[in-house]
Amino acid sequence: MAGLTSRVNTLTNQKIKEIQKITGRMRMLALNAMIESARAGEFGAGFSIVAQEVRGVGGEVEQVATTLEQELVGQVSELERLMQIMAAQARGTRLVDLALNAIEIMDRNLYERTCDVRWWATDSAAVACAAAPEDDAARQYASERLAVILGAYTVYLDIWLTDLSGRIIANGRPGTYDVVGRDASRESWFRDAMALNSGDDYAVADVTAQPFLGNAMTATYSTKVCEGGRADGQPLGVIAVHFDWAPQAKAIVEGVRLTKSERQRTRVMLVDADHRVIASSDGQGILSEKLPLRANGQASGYYVDGNRSLVAFHATPGYETYRGLGWYGVIVQKD
């Protein structure tokens, strides 16, 4: 539409210029006719009247052309301005929708993690191991069961089982991650899990680089393991599932539906509640950059930043019983 208004503006100016050229020729003809009528004296008197009339008509046409130019140029300029506003609104709304889509996909993914950790906390092998943390056979069987789970659920790096003090007593990939015996009591996911009211609840830690897992980025979900596998049973320990964050998040931010030309000038991100970048389509600033997002308390919206880039955002809406963590999907697109 912007191209159409530009073409209309160009055509209008072109036609007005043609009218002005014609009226200019009419004035010259009228002037020449008046000169010739003056030379003819009495015999050119009638011709002089015609020449003056032609000159008057030319002046009127020129005035009409001038007025037309002023009015049309103003109207076309206003039309261009309105079209630019509408185009910006359409672009902003579309990017907000794409930001929502990105955070919704992640929410649905993480909702499944909350279900997984609460389900696996009731596994008989995990319960038996937590009840007898010094029993080698129980620990071995629990590790084997966790390995079976990891074989089917490839989105996890590892699953850990701890006792009530935070000591890791079993994990699903002991050949890859030598973590048994390590102290996890300072981990936020352990402390938060221990503070839960029942096994029906869960805790989640911020996305972080986990030293015990080779500094891989993880989103860790945890809950209590309770006696008898009952949600209201006596606490025996904690189970933690470590979501393999990097590849899953990368697939989401890189999978946003953009045109080829848009992709070259667009950055898609997920940011946490503190606006820390936790995923980015350009791979930059992850866990180190804090985005100056101007949400101003709004769940969604868009604005133009200091670099004249359009910034669109949408807060996590949550999914089912998963309320979300205050994260945002954010898209920054250059003009």
Side-chain angles (χ1 to χ4, degrees):
M1 291 299 290
L4 177 59
T5 56
S6 178
R7 290 195 297 274
V8 169
N9 191 28
T10 300
L11 182 61
T12 299
N13 289 330
Q14 179 183 336
K15 296 305 178 184
I16 289 174
K17 293 266 191 287
E18 291 178 4
I19 293 173
Q20 289 172 338
K21 286 180 181 179
I22 293 171
T23 56
R25 289 168 61 192
M26 290 177 67
R27 286 199 306 272
M28 289 301 298
L29 288 171
L31 179 60
N32 289 334
M34 291 179 69
I35 292 172
E36 293 300 323
S37 67
R39 288 179 179 174
E42 181 181 349
F43 299 103
F47 190 59
S48 175
I49 294 173
V50 174
Q52 289 177 356
E53 186 65 23
V54 169
R55 185 178 185 182
V57 170
E60 291 178 9
V61 171
E62 183 177 20
Q63 182 59 43
V64 169
T66 300
T67 303
L68 180 64
E69 180 181 25
Q70 293 172 346
E71 293 181 354
L72 279 180
V73 169
Q75 292 294 328
V76 170
S77 296
E78 177 64 11
L79 180 60
E80 285 183 333
R81 188 185 70 83
L82 292 175
M83 290 307 302
Q84 288 173 352
I85 292 174
M86 291 176 63
Q89 289 176 338
R91 179 182 166 209
T93 300
R94 174 174 171 269
L95 293 184
V96 168
D97 288 342
L98 291 177
L100 170 61
N101 182 250
I103 195 64
E104 275 189 323
I105 292 173
M106 181 54 75
D107 275 349
R108 293 183 184 189
N109 200 323
L110 296 181
Y111 164 70
E112 295 178 8
R113 313 292 68 89
T114 71
C115 297
D116 290 346
V117 70
R118 287 176 288 179
W119 174 27
W120 298 332
T122 67
D123 186 275
S124 59
V127 173
C129 181
E134 303 304 326
D135 187 326
D136 290 340
R139 292 202 303 268
Q140 178 63 31
Y141 183 53
S143 180
E144 291 173 359
R145 283 287 302 152
L146 296 178
V148 170
I149 292 172
L150 289 172
Y153 292 82
T154 57
V155 297
Y156 295 108
L157 285 167
D158 204 2
I159 304 175
W160 297 348
L161 186 63
T162 79
D163 61 18
L164 292 175
S165 70
R167 180 174 60 96
I168 301 172
I169 57 178
N171 70 311
R173 291 195 172 116
T176 304
Y177 303 112
D178 183 17
V179 297
V180 172
R182 289 180 179 264
D183 180 14
S185 61
R186 293 188 177 89
E187 299 285 345
S188 63
W189 53 262
F190 174 79
R191 296 195 306 269
D192 292 345
M194 289 297 295
L196 296 174
N197 293 323
S198 76
D200 286 331
D201 301 320
Y202 65 89
V204 56
D206 288 333
V207 175
T208 187
Q210 174 53 252
F212 294 172
L213 296 174
N215 284 319
M217 285 188 293
T218 64
T220 301
Y221 286 75
S222 58
T223 191
K224 287 179 179 177
V225 176
C226 299
E227 188 176 24
R230 302 188 310 273
D232 61 349
Q234 186 69 23
L236 300 173
V238 168
I239 190 169
V241 296
H242 299 287
F243 182 62
D244 191 3
W245 175 260
Q248 317 304 326
K250 180 181 179 182
I252 289 174
V253 294
E254 291 184 356
V256 170
R257 289 172 293 180
L258 298 167
T259 66
K260 186 176 181 179
S261 63
E262 281 182 314
R263 199 168 294 282
Q264 296 173 350
R265 54 191 175 88
T266 304
R267 187 185 187 198
V268 182
M269 289 168 284
L270 298 177
V271 303
D272 65 15
D274 293 325
H275 301 169
R276 182 185 57 145
V277 176
I278 53 178
S280 180
S281 58
D282 63 1
Q284 302 299 309
I286 299 174
L287 301 188
S288 62
E289 177 185 355
K290 190 170 183 179
L291 194 71
L293 181 65
R294 304 204 311 255
N296 297 326
Q298 295 180 311
S300 63
Y302 61 89
Y303 59 89
V304 177
D305 67 10
N307 297 319
R308 301 192 61 79
S309 294
L310 185 62
V311 180
F313 62 91
H314 204 297
T316 169
Y319 181 73
E320 297 287 347
T321 58
Y322 183 67
R323 296 185 301 274
L325 302 172
W327 294 357
Y328 285 85
V330 182
I331 298 179
V332 179
Q333 187 174 87
K334 297 178 182 178
D335 284 334

